[in-house]
Amino acid sequence: MAPPPPPPPSLPVAEDGGGCVARWIRKEVLFGLALGQVVSLLITSTGFSSSELARRGINAPTSQSLLNYILLALVYGGILIYRRQTLTIKWYYYLILGIIDVEANYIVVKSYQYTSLTSVMLLDCWSIPCVIVLTWIFLKTKYGLRKFIGVGICVAGLILVVFSDVHASDRAKGPNPLKGDLLVIFGSMLYACSNVTEEYLVKKSNRIELMAMLGLFGAVISGIQISILERKELHSIKWNAGAVLPFLGFALAMFLFYSTVPTVLKICGATMLNLSLLTSDMWAVDWIYFVAFAGTAVGLLIYSYKSSKEAEETAQVAGASDEQGKAGDEEAGMQNP
């Protein structure tokens, strides 16, 4: 009896528009975009809180951030102690990150005393080219033409906001806009250093350790800085509801922001995070803001688009990170009977 004939060879299936669309709307891309907008909303909330404190004449930028660092140290430090995990990264790396992060927050929050909320939100986009340069040099991130086009569209959306603000006659400019603007630019450079360092650490370690150590060193550094620079200011503040509520709102928004950022960095990277924060500039009810929002969203999609090969490489890296995390959890479980 003759053997059955071999099955016909499978014909290559041409990639249709559905496959192309699937790469544009992959689950991790949408999740990263959604988280990016969450942190954008949170950073806008911190801006409103800082602006309200500045309007009331309260000038204590380090004190505003202290409660956030204490919350990070208590919550994530408690988890770290419960798991009895040893540090996977040398402590002095976290000390350096803490110094950079505390001073970045100090400088940017200080700028609200001199310039407007809108100017701060606009000028902090300087962190984007800084992040691109730093990730290219230190993390060896490759940026193709498509990514630069995505960045360009995002910035073009931001330019629309600038034009809208130029024509806004009722915008408060602050007592010393030039000084405030320079502080924002310098602070955004420090934020870029902080974001890139966090991206490196969270991919080498884990989110719990990063947040616990950043909270610990951030609280210590902030406490020292407050004792030197802000003791008189804190004594002069009238602690009524108008002063306490913005302090608490700032701390809560910052805590949620810091808790979410490592996930965005692990999924999308520091550049995508800073591009997502561009939408924090677009909360005014003006048609041009909606056009700017749409432009930024299109730019984010173009930047985050990956070919099949790039998606496969990302999946392999994520899989390796998950395996390392599981191994660390199993080791912590053995140490904690």
Short mmCIF file of all heavy atoms in Angstrom, two decimals, residues 143-177:
data_model
loop_
_atom_site.label_atom_id
_atom_site.label_comp_id
_atom_site.label_asym_id
_atom_site.label_seq_id
_atom_site.Cartn_x
_atom_site.Cartn_y
_atom_site.Cartn_z
N TYR A 143 17.98 54.95 18.36
CA TYR A 143 16.88 55.78 17.88
C TYR A 143 16.94 55.87 16.37
O TYR A 143 17.89 56.42 15.81
CB TYR A 143 16.96 57.19 18.49
CG TYR A 143 16.74 57.21 19.98
CD1 TYR A 143 17.82 57.29 20.86
CD2 TYR A 143 15.46 57.15 20.51
CE1 TYR A 143 17.63 57.31 22.23
CE2 TYR A 143 15.26 57.16 21.89
CZ TYR A 143 16.35 57.24 22.73
OH TYR A 143 16.15 57.26 24.09
N GLY A 144 15.91 55.32 15.73
CA GLY A 144 15.82 55.40 14.28
C GLY A 144 15.06 56.64 13.84
O GLY A 144 14.59 57.45 14.65
N LEU A 145 14.94 56.79 12.53
CA LEU A 145 14.26 57.96 11.97
C LEU A 145 12.82 58.03 12.44
O LEU A 145 12.30 59.11 12.73
CB LEU A 145 14.32 57.90 10.44
CG LEU A 145 13.61 59.03 9.69
CD1 LEU A 145 14.22 60.39 10.05
CD2 LEU A 145 13.67 58.80 8.19
N ARG A 146 12.16 56.86 12.53
CA ARG A 146 10.75 56.84 12.93
C ARG A 146 10.56 57.43 14.33
O ARG A 146 9.60 58.15 14.59
CB ARG A 146 10.22 55.41 12.87
CG ARG A 146 8.72 55.30 13.15
CD ARG A 146 8.24 53.86 13.12
NE ARG A 146 8.86 53.06 14.16
CZ ARG A 146 9.76 52.10 13.94
NH1 ARG A 146 10.16 51.85 12.71
NH2 ARG A 146 10.26 51.41 14.94
N LYS A 147 11.47 57.11 15.25
CA LYS A 147 11.35 57.62 16.60
C LYS A 147 11.54 59.14 16.65
O LYS A 147 10.86 59.85 17.38
CB LYS A 147 12.35 56.92 17.52
CG LYS A 147 12.02 55.44 17.75
CD LYS A 147 12.92 54.82 18.78
CE LYS A 147 12.59 53.36 19.01
NZ LYS A 147 11.24 53.15 19.56
N PHE A 148 12.48 59.63 15.83
CA PHE A 148 12.68 61.08 15.79
C PHE A 148 11.46 61.78 15.18
O PHE A 148 11.12 62.90 15.59
CB PHE A 148 13.94 61.42 15.01
CG PHE A 148 15.21 61.20 15.78
CD1 PHE A 148 16.09 60.18 15.42
CD2 PHE A 148 15.52 61.98 16.88
CE1 PHE A 148 17.26 59.96 16.13
CE2 PHE A 148 16.69 61.78 17.60
CZ PHE A 148 17.56 60.76 17.23
N ILE A 149 10.81 61.13 14.22
CA ILE A 149 9.58 61.71 13.65
C ILE A 149 8.50 61.78 14.73
O ILE A 149 7.79 62.78 14.87
CB ILE A 149 9.10 60.87 12.45
CG1 ILE A 149 10.09 61.02 11.28
CG2 ILE A 149 7.70 61.30 12.02
CD1 ILE A 149 9.77 60.13 10.09
N GLY A 150 8.39 60.70 15.54
CA GLY A 150 7.41 60.69 16.63
C GLY A 150 7.69 61.80 17.62
O GLY A 150 6.77 62.51 18.06
N VAL A 151 8.96 61.98 17.99
CA VAL A 151 9.33 63.06 18.91
C VAL A 151 8.99 64.41 18.31
O VAL A 151 8.46 65.31 18.97
CB VAL A 151 10.82 62.97 19.27
CG1 VAL A 151 11.25 64.21 20.05
CG2 VAL A 151 11.12 61.72 20.07
N GLY A 152 9.29 64.57 17.01
CA GLY A 152 9.02 65.84 16.35
C GLY A 152 7.54 66.18 16.34
O GLY A 152 7.17 67.34 16.56
N ILE A 153 6.67 65.19 16.11
CA ILE A 153 5.23 65.45 16.11
C ILE A 153 4.75 65.84 17.51
O ILE A 153 3.92 66.74 17.68
CB ILE A 153 4.47 64.22 15.58
CG1 ILE A 153 4.80 64.00 14.11
CG2 ILE A 153 2.97 64.39 15.76
CD1 ILE A 153 4.17 62.76 13.51
N CYS A 154 5.30 65.15 18.53
CA CYS A 154 4.95 65.50 19.91
C CYS A 154 5.32 66.95 20.22
O CYS A 154 4.53 67.71 20.79
CB CYS A 154 5.66 64.57 20.89
SG CYS A 154 4.98 62.90 20.94
N VAL A 155 6.52 67.35 19.84
CA VAL A 155 6.97 68.71 20.12
C VAL A 155 6.16 69.71 19.29
O VAL A 155 5.87 70.82 19.75
CB VAL A 155 8.48 68.84 19.83
CG1 VAL A 155 8.93 70.28 19.98
CG2 VAL A 155 9.27 67.93 20.77
N ALA A 156 5.77 69.32 18.07
CA ALA A 156 4.93 70.20 17.26
C ALA A 156 3.59 70.45 17.95
O ALA A 156 3.06 71.57 17.93
CB ALA A 156 4.71 69.59 15.87
N GLY A 157 3.05 69.39 18.57
CA GLY A 157 1.82 69.58 19.34
C GLY A 157 2.03 70.55 20.48
O GLY A 157 1.16 71.37 20.80
N LEU A 158 3.21 70.49 21.10
CA LEU A 158 3.51 71.40 22.19
C LEU A 158 3.63 72.85 21.69
O LEU A 158 3.25 73.79 22.38
CB LEU A 158 4.82 70.97 22.86
CG LEU A 158 5.19 71.70 24.15
CD1 LEU A 158 4.16 71.43 25.22
CD2 LEU A 158 6.56 71.27 24.61
N ILE A 159 4.16 73.04 20.48
CA ILE A 159 4.29 74.38 19.92
C ILE A 159 2.91 75.03 19.76
O ILE A 159 2.75 76.24 19.97
CB ILE A 159 5.04 74.33 18.58
CG1 ILE A 159 6.50 73.93 18.82
CG2 ILE A 159 4.97 75.67 17.86
CD1 ILE A 159 7.30 73.71 17.56
N LEU A 160 1.91 74.22 19.44
CA LEU A 160 0.55 74.75 19.36
C LEU A 160 0.10 75.32 20.70
O LEU A 160 -0.58 76.35 20.76
CB LEU A 160 -0.42 73.66 18.91
CG LEU A 160 -0.32 73.21 17.45
CD1 LEU A 160 -1.29 72.06 17.20
CD2 LEU A 160 -0.63 74.37 16.52
N VAL A 161 0.50 74.64 21.77
CA VAL A 161 0.16 75.15 23.10
C VAL A 161 0.85 76.48 23.36
O VAL A 161 0.29 77.40 23.95
CB VAL A 161 0.55 74.11 24.18
CG1 VAL A 161 0.15 74.61 25.55
CG2 VAL A 161 -0.12 72.78 23.90
N VAL A 162 2.12 76.59 22.90
CA VAL A 162 2.86 77.84 23.08
C VAL A 162 2.14 78.98 22.39
O VAL A 162 1.96 80.07 22.96
CB VAL A 162 4.30 77.69 22.54
CG1 VAL A 162 5.03 79.03 22.61
CG2 VAL A 162 5.06 76.63 23.32
N PHE A 163 1.69 78.76 21.15
CA PHE A 163 0.98 79.80 20.41
C PHE A 163 -0.32 80.18 21.13
O PHE A 163 -0.70 81.35 21.17
CB PHE A 163 0.67 79.34 18.99
CG PHE A 163 1.82 79.50 18.05
CD1 PHE A 163 2.46 78.40 17.52
CD2 PHE A 163 2.29 80.76 17.69
CE1 PHE A 163 3.53 78.52 16.65
CE2 PHE A 163 3.36 80.91 16.83
CZ PHE A 163 3.98 79.79 16.30
N SER A 164 -0.98 79.18 21.69
CA SER A 164 -2.21 79.46 22.42
C SER A 164 -1.93 80.33 23.64
O SER A 164 -2.67 81.27 23.94
CB SER A 164 -2.88 78.15 22.86
OG SER A 164 -4.03 78.41 23.63
N ASP A 165 -0.83 80.04 24.34
CA ASP A 165 -0.50 80.81 25.54
C ASP A 165 -0.05 82.22 25.20
O ASP A 165 -0.24 83.15 25.99
CB ASP A 165 0.61 80.10 26.33
CG ASP A 165 0.09 78.85 27.03
OD1 ASP A 165 -1.03 78.91 27.54
OD2 ASP A 165 0.80 77.84 27.04
N VAL A 166 0.56 82.39 24.04
CA VAL A 166 0.99 83.74 23.63
C VAL A 166 -0.22 84.66 23.51
O VAL A 166 -0.17 85.85 23.84
CB VAL A 166 1.76 83.67 22.30
CG1 VAL A 166 1.93 85.07 21.70
CG2 VAL A 166 3.11 83.03 22.51
N HIS A 167 -1.34 84.09 23.08
CA HIS A 167 -2.54 84.90 22.87
C HIS A 167 -3.43 84.93 24.11
O HIS A 167 -4.50 85.54 24.07
CB HIS A 167 -3.33 84.37 21.69
CG HIS A 167 -2.60 84.47 20.39
ND1 HIS A 167 -2.37 85.67 19.75
CD2 HIS A 167 -2.00 83.52 19.62
CE1 HIS A 167 -1.68 85.45 18.63
NE2 HIS A 167 -1.44 84.16 18.53
N ALA A 168 -3.03 84.27 25.18
CA ALA A 168 -3.83 84.29 26.41
C ALA A 168 -3.45 85.51 27.22
O ALA A 168 -2.40 85.56 27.85
CB ALA A 168 -3.60 83.01 27.21
N SER A 169 -4.29 86.52 27.21
CA SER A 169 -3.95 87.79 27.88
C SER A 169 -4.06 87.71 29.39
O SER A 169 -3.48 88.52 30.10
CB SER A 169 -4.87 88.90 27.37
OG SER A 169 -6.22 88.57 27.61
N ASP A 170 -4.80 86.70 29.91
CA ASP A 170 -5.03 86.65 31.34
C ASP A 170 -4.05 85.73 32.05
O ASP A 170 -4.23 85.41 33.22
CB ASP A 170 -6.47 86.18 31.64
CG ASP A 170 -6.74 84.81 31.03
OD1 ASP A 170 -5.96 84.38 30.16
OD2 ASP A 170 -7.73 84.18 31.44
N ARG A 171 -3.00 85.30 31.39
CA ARG A 171 -2.07 84.36 32.01
C ARG A 171 -1.13 85.12 32.94
O ARG A 171 -0.45 86.07 32.55
CB ARG A 171 -1.26 83.61 30.93
CG ARG A 171 -0.30 82.59 31.52
CD ARG A 171 0.19 81.66 30.43
NE ARG A 171 1.06 82.33 29.48
CZ ARG A 171 2.38 82.38 29.58
NH1 ARG A 171 2.97 81.84 30.62
NH2 ARG A 171 3.10 82.98 28.66
N ALA A 172 -1.07 84.66 34.19
CA ALA A 172 -0.16 85.28 35.16
C ALA A 172 1.27 84.85 34.85
O ALA A 172 1.55 83.68 34.66
CB ALA A 172 -0.56 84.85 36.57
N LYS A 173 2.17 85.82 34.79
CA LYS A 173 3.55 85.52 34.40
C LYS A 173 4.50 85.38 35.58
O LYS A 173 5.62 84.91 35.41
CB LYS A 173 4.05 86.62 33.45
CG LYS A 173 3.29 86.66 32.14
CD LYS A 173 3.87 87.71 31.21
CE LYS A 173 3.12 87.73 29.88
NZ LYS A 173 3.67 88.74 28.95
N GLY A 174 4.10 85.77 36.77
CA GLY A 174 4.98 85.64 37.92
C GLY A 174 5.87 86.85 38.09
O GLY A 174 6.05 87.65 37.17
N PRO A 175 6.50 86.98 39.27
CA PRO A 175 7.31 88.18 39.56
C PRO A 175 8.63 88.24 38.81
O PRO A 175 9.15 89.32 38.55
CB PRO A 175 7.54 88.10 41.07
CG PRO A 175 7.40 86.65 41.39
CD PRO A 175 6.39 86.10 40.44
N ASN A 176 9.23 87.08 38.49
CA ASN A 176 10.52 87.07 37.79
C ASN A 176 10.55 85.90 36.81
O ASN A 176 11.17 84.87 37.08
CB ASN A 176 11.66 86.95 38.81
CG ASN A 176 13.02 87.25 38.21
OD1 ASN A 176 13.21 87.17 36.99
ND2 ASN A 176 13.99 87.59 39.04
N PRO A 177 9.87 86.04 35.67
CA PRO A 177 9.73 84.91 34.74
C PRO A 177 11.06 84.36 34.24
O PRO A 177 11.20 83.13 34.08
CB PRO A 177 8.91 85.50 33.58
CG PRO A 177 8.21 86.67 34.17
CD PRO A 177 9.13 87.22 35.19
#
